[in-house]
């Protein structure tokens, strides 16, 4: 049987690409190797599981309520079973997501093939004992945690970001190696549970791709939660000593912990794909090399999602899959504005960015004015007890057009889209000054940050202008 499109991998990019092609009348098969079904890392080991664990931790520990009512912290980090207390909701979310994806594929007539997919040639994909003949192929196999040398992942107390979800108890102490997105998020989750956390980061700051003020605020929030951050350091060796793991750092410092989580980036899931049979080129990290239209070195083979590298966001992967389908079949899909891509970091509190950092704009010589406001100065922020957050808006000084939005607070991943929409539609300072927002609301922080920027433009006291606003 010949297909118009065979998709290898059922994560966000693969699912949405398959459905998009089927919607336009194409015959589509999706090959998924995981016995758990489609969904990829987003549904099974990464995006949704880690966020579900975060919400469960916040709920079970009363983390958000402690600020409001001076509640005494009730940590779970005393060896209590993790499965019973925290992962119950995780299993439910996984099932709901997998069922939803299966239903979406079935509704659009996509053939779901439960098998490992690999190339026979540019138009042939082996799926179990079948060879699927395809006009086009989309590689959407995602990525896996990189396991750097020097760590014994055969040790039951050494984890990566996939296997950490199989923890049987809340550890009393945990060393996290790597202060990227995954490492920072898990540091906050386990700290909320009462685990003593040491985060080891080889760079001079966490999440260096973020605006420095946001990055510094996340580090400060972590330290207030009791997380110890070792900057400019790395693990020289790790040894087992009875029930403990002993980490010797390059600085000479020693850390003794129950367990270790290694968060050292990710590599493309292309092993076993046999890309050479299709003439598909990979880079040094096993990622598929594509052009701006997501076409690989083989003209009929495309790739999308984590398997092509950054930004490696589920939201971006979905749109990449759709855009690849449009390119394959000459469909008139509107271009996506990747410049206004919002990224969310699910630390405690959450952080979000949309647009360039202040440092990038300054180094490019763009004239800017920055408006800021603390969420604690926002009435709704006071009501919900958000003490850590702030909003930072960057406007072009001459045109007052909004260039970037940077935000840290609980619910930041919901609030960021106000700034994103204004940026995408070419709006700026006037929108926030003229729009009447609900009160009290966290959204009103946009207006206060705008008044702060207005005060700077007019050379007046930001506080006076904000109060008048």
């Amino acid at each position: 049987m010949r297909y118009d499109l065979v998709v290898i991998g059922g994560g966000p990019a693969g699912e949405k690409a398959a459905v998009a092609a089927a919607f336009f009348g194409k015959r589509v098969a999706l090959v998924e190797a995981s016995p758990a079904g489609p969904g990829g890392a987003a549904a099974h080991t990464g995006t949704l599981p880690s966020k579900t664990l975060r919400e469960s931790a916040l709920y079970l520990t009363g983390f958000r309520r402690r600020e409001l009512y001076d509640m005494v912290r009730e940590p779970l980090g005393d060896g209590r079973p993790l499965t019973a207390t925290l992962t119950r909701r995780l299993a439910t979310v996984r099932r709901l997501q997998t069922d939803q994806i299966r239903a979406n594929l079935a509704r659009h007539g996509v053939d779901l093939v439960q098998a490992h997919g690999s190339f026979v040639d540019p138009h042939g994909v082996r799926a179990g004992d079948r060879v699927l003949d395809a006009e086009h192929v989309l590689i959407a196999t995602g990525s896996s945690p990189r396991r750097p040398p020097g760590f014994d992942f055969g040790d039951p107390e050494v984890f990566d970001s996939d296997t950490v979800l199989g923890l049987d108890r809340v550890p009393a102490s945990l060393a996290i190696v790597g202060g990227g997105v995954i490492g920072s998020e898990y540091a906050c989750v386990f700290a909320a549970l009462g685990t003593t956390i040491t985060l080891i980061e080889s760079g001079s700051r966490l999440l260096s791709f973020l605006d420095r003020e946001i990055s510094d605020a996340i580090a400060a929030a972590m330290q207030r939660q009791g997380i110890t951050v070792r900057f400019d350091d790395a693990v020289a060796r790790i040894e087992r000593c009875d029930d403990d793991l002993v980490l010797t750092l390059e600085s000479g410092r020693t850390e003794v912990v129950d367990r270790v989580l290694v968060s050292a980036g990710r590599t493309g899931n292309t092993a076993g794909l046999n890309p050479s049979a299709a003439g598909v080129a990979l880079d040094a990290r096993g990622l598929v090399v594509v052009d701006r239209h997501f076409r690989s070195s083989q003209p009929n083979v495309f790739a999308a999602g984590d398997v092509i590298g950054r930004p490696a966001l589920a939201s971006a992967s979905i749109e990449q899959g759709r855009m690849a389908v449009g390119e394959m079949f000459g469909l008139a899909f509107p271009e996506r504005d990747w410049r206004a891509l919002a990224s969310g970091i699910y630390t405690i509190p959450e952080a979000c960015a949309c647009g360039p950092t202040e440092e990038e704009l300054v180094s490019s010589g763009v004239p800017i004015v920055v408006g800021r406001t603390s969420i604690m100065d926002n009435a709704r922020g006071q009501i919900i007890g958000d003490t850590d957050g702030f909003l930072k808006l960057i406007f072009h000084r001459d045109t007052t057009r909004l260039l970037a939005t940077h935000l840290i607070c609980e619910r930041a991943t919901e609030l960021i889209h106000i700034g994103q929409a204004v940026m995408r539609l070419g709006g700026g300072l006037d929108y926030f000054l003229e729009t009447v927002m609900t009160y009290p609301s966290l959204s009103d922080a946009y207006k206060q940050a705008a008044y702060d920027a207005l005060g700077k433009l007019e050379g007046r006291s930001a506080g006076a202008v904000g109060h008048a606003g």
Side-chain angles (χ1 to χ4, degrees):
M1 180 183 298
R2 184 169 178 80
Y3 289 93
D4 297 304
L5 171 63
V6 170
V7 178
I8 308 176
E15 177 210 352
K16 301 306 182 185
V19 166
F23 179 83
F24 286 97
K26 306 302 178 181
R27 185 163 185 80
V28 183
L30 188 149
V31 181
E32 173 55 56
S34 172
H44 297 292
T45 60
T47 306
L48 298 181
S50 63
K51 281 58 176 179
T52 303
L53 188 62
R54 178 187 188 273
E55 292 303 313
S56 297
L58 292 174
Y59 176 80
L60 289 169
T61 60
F63 190 92
R64 292 192 180 109
R65 300 188 297 276
R66 291 199 295 266
E67 290 290 341
L68 273 66
Y69 306 112
D70 296 322
M71 292 174 63
V72 177
R73 185 176 189 180
E74 294 290 344
L76 297 180
D78 57 359
R80 298 185 198 180
L82 185 65
T83 302
T85 54
L86 288 170
T87 59
R88 187 177 300 117
R89 186 62 185 166
L90 175 56
T92 301
V93 171
R94 278 175 170 157
R95 177 181 53 79
L96 290 171
Q97 280 293 306
T98 303
D99 289 349
Q100 182 176 319
I101 294 167
R102 287 183 186 275
N104 193 29
L105 295 173
R107 183 168 61 252
H108 288 87
V110 175
D111 291 342
L112 178 60
V113 181
Q114 196 75 47
H116 176 80
S118 63
F119 283 101
V120 174
D121 57 47
H123 292 277
V125 174
R126 185 178 300 283
D129 57 0
R130 302 170 56 189
V131 174
L132 308 180
D133 187 23
E135 179 185 355
H136 295 286
V137 178
L138 176 71
I139 302 171
T141 48
S143 64
S144 295
R146 186 175 76 86
R147 290 188 161 190
F151 295 92
D152 179 11
F153 288 94
D155 189 308
E157 313 299 344
V158 178
F159 299 87
D160 62 25
S161 57
D162 282 357
T163 59
V164 73
L165 293 170
L167 271 171
D168 59 346
R169 61 178 174 83
V170 180
S173 59
L174 175 69
I176 298 178
V177 182
V181 174
I182 295 172
S184 296
E185 289 179 350
Y186 274 120
C188 292
V189 169
F190 282 102
L193 294 170
T195 300
T196 300
I197 301 291
T198 301
L199 180 60
I200 302 162
E201 166 55 40
S202 60
S204 59
R205 64 187 178 106
L206 302 175
L207 305 161
S208 58
F209 61 90
L210 291 177
D211 187 274
R212 179 173 286 276
E213 284 188 77
I214 299 294
S215 175
D216 290 347
I218 291 173
M222 285 185 178
Q223 289 162 355
R224 284 193 293 274
Q225 293 171 46
I227 298 170
T228 299
V229 184
R230 306 289 188 206
F231 289 113
D232 299 310
D233 215 340
V235 177
R237 66 179 183 274
I238 179 171
E239 301 167 297
R240 173 160 291 288
C241 182
D242 297 326
D243 291 334
D244 296 322
L245 291 169
V246 180
L247 283 69
T248 302
L249 307 187
E250 291 182 353
S251 63
R253 188 186 298 271
T254 298
E255 302 288 347
V256 181
V257 295
D258 288 349
R259 295 183 171 186
V260 173
L261 168 60
V262 181
S263 177
R266 299 180 72 84
T267 58
N269 287 338
T270 50
L273 191 61
N274 198 21
S276 61
V280 173
L282 307 180
D283 70 8
R285 290 193 297 151
L287 301 173
V288 180
V289 179
V290 296
D291 64 15
R292 61 184 295 269
H293 300 294
F294 309 103
R295 191 188 302 271
S296 77
S297 53
Q298 178 59 242
N300 75 298
V301 179
F302 291 70
D306 286 13
V307 76
I308 67 172
R310 292 179 69 88
L313 299 170
S315 56
S317 297
I318 288 169
E319 300 307 326
Q320 289 170 358
R322 290 171 174 156
M323 297 304 291
V325 166
E327 186 67 21
M328 289 174 199
F329 300 111
L331 301 172
F333 285 6
E335 274 294 327
R336 301 309 192 256
D337 186 357
W338 302 110
R339 297 169 302 173
L341 180 66
S343 60
I345 316 298
Y346 290 81
T347 45
I348 301 174
E350 297 173 2
C352 273
C354 187
T357 67
E358 181 178 357
E359 296 87 352
E360 289 169 340
L361 290 167
V362 170
S363 66
S364 298
V366 178
I368 62 172
V369 61
V370 179
R372 298 178 182 83
T373 188
S374 168
I375 300 299
M376 191 56 189
D377 292 335
N378 172 276
R380 184 65 180 272
Q382 294 166 4
I383 291 169
I384 66 175
D386 194 334
T387 60
D388 288 331
F390 67 88
L391 170 65
K392 176 178 181 177
L393 301 178
I394 307 179
F395 300 92
H396 193 288
R397 179 172 285 276
D398 300 332
T399 66
T400 70
R401 180 172 176 171
L402 182 62
L403 302 177
T405 304
H406 301 285
L407 177 63
I408 178 170
C409 68
E410 280 306 305
R411 302 185 179 89
T413 52
E414 305 295 337
L415 289 169
I416 191 67
H417 298 294
I418 296 174
Q420 182 189 43
V422 173
M423 292 167 59
R424 179 72 178 86
L425 297 173
L429 190 63
D430 287 350
Y431 170 82
F432 299 112
L433 300 180
E434 296 169 4
T435 299
V436 181
M437 297 182 174
T438 56
Y439 182 88
S441 71
L442 293 175
S443 302
D444 190 57
Y446 277 95
K447 183 177 286 289
Q448 296 307 314
Y451 272 112
D452 182 49
L454 177 65
K456 293 172 182 175
L457 284 171
E458 297 185 349
R460 301 169 60 186
S461 163
V465 174
H467 181 72

